[in-house]
Amino acid sequence: MEIKIQHLLEGARYAQGLTVIIDVFRAFTLEAYMYAQGAARTIPVGTVEDAFALKQAHPEYILCGERHGKKVEGFDLGNSPSELLRHDVRGKTIIHTTSAGVQGLVNAAGADEIVTGALVNAAATARYIQKVKPEKVSLVAMGLEAVKDTEEDVLCAEYIRSILEGKPLADIQERALNLRYQEGKKFFDPLQKDVFPEEDFWLAIKVDTMDFAIKVKKENGQFTTERTDV
């Protein structure tokens, strides 16, 4: 198994084989919590306009996402796991658009298969990869708005790679906690608490608390995701 760590939007575009699009703060942490809360499926879309159009066609869908971290005006939910936990999404379809993670999904045109990546289900994602046994694996750390590397996404990529190589990082939880002094410091900034609530940080660094991977499908030009227990 050939494993490569790729970075940002360019990394997604050049990804090959089974591709893991990683966004810890917060897109794919959020999607993991969506499925843990009983959501039926998500529909990732690249643009706000496409999201509104899909909502107009299906008013029963939940509209969720952000631009520059902030909830898009007119959306039902932002990109916040703690906000999600206050809503009942059981059996619901959720339209999701973000500045980094979802952009990676829609740009990974060369991937044979796509799954999402986050710390909360990193080991489960690695188990899924081991089950599939692909020749090539691309671990894409999407970073801040898909243009700047961030520590949490690179850490998640390194952790998944370490599991696949049979040498799991022994200090993963300690390194996850240290993210509060790195990219995660925004969650402790009083001036940004409305956009980046502290609770989101603690929810995002709960390493391996979920036992499912999230697979991405594309049918008739539309992406959807589904929970896959492993």
Side-chain angles (χ1 to χ4, degrees):
M1 185 184 296
E2 177 187 346
I3 305 168
K4 289 185 177 181
I5 293 179
Q6 312 266 38
H7 301 266
L8 312 176
L9 195 60
E10 183 178 8
R13 288 170 175 159
Y14 285 99
Q16 296 181 327
L18 193 154
T19 296
V20 186
I21 302 294
I22 298 168
D23 190 338
V24 174
F25 293 157
R26 296 167 285 180
F28 298 135
T29 294
L30 176 63
E31 292 220 358
Y33 279 102
M34 289 175 182
Y35 283 112
Q37 292 294 106
R41 65 172 179 158
T42 75
I43 303 177
V45 297
T47 71
V48 170
E49 292 75 17
D50 286 345
F52 277 124
L54 195 55
K55 173 73 171 181
Q56 186 173 16
H58 299 275
E60 72 278 14
Y61 290 177
I62 295 173
L63 196 52
C64 173
E66 56 76 30
R67 285 298 182 268
H68 308 299
K70 298 179 181 180
K71 179 167 74 172
V72 177
E73 186 175 352
F75 275 30
D76 302 306
L77 297 170
N79 201 43
S80 166
S82 59
E83 180 188 18
L84 173 84
L85 294 180
R86 298 192 294 270
H87 290 77
D88 184 2
V89 296
R90 289 174 294 179
K92 301 290 187 179
T93 292
I94 303 173
I95 307 162
H96 193 200
T97 186
T98 71
S99 304
V102 173
Q103 302 308 316
L105 297 186
V106 300
N107 278 278
D112 295 332
E113 180 177 358
I114 304 173
V115 296
T116 69
L119 288 171
V120 292
N121 65 339
T125 301
R127 289 196 301 272
Y128 176 77
I129 296 169
Q130 290 168 330
K131 180 180 177 182
V132 174
K133 298 178 181 178
E135 291 184 6
K136 293 183 178 181
V137 176
S138 295
L139 305 172
V140 186
M142 290 306 302
L144 180 63
E145 299 194 3
V147 296
K148 178 185 175 183
D149 263 330
T150 54
E151 299 90 355
E152 75 282 357
D153 291 345
V154 174
L155 175 60
C156 186
E158 291 175 349
Y159 180 45
I160 293 173
R161 180 177 64 182
S162 76
I163 298 171
L164 295 175
E165 293 177 341
K167 296 175 286 188
L169 296 176
D171 61 347
I172 180 60
Q173 190 62 72
E174 179 182 354
R175 290 177 65 180
L177 285 168
N178 285 337
L179 291 169
R180 69 174 295 176
Y181 307 110
Q182 301 167 351
E183 182 64 26
K185 64 181 180 290
K186 61 192 175 187
F187 295 100
F188 300 88
D189 180 354
L191 299 178
Q192 299 190 71
K193 64 181 181 180
D194 292 340
V195 178
F196 300 107
E198 180 182 337
E199 188 181 354
D200 282 2
F201 175 82
W202 299 112
L203 290 170
I205 66 158
K206 290 180 176 289
V207 180
D208 296 336
T209 55
M210 301 185 192
D211 58 359
F212 55 86
I214 299 176
K215 294 175 59 176
V216 182
K217 294 184 175 182
K218 187 176 184 181
E219 296 177 354
N220 301 320
Q222 184 176 84
F223 288 92
T224 60
T225 74
E226 65 180 20
R227 168 177 171 157
T228 302
D229 294 303
V230 286

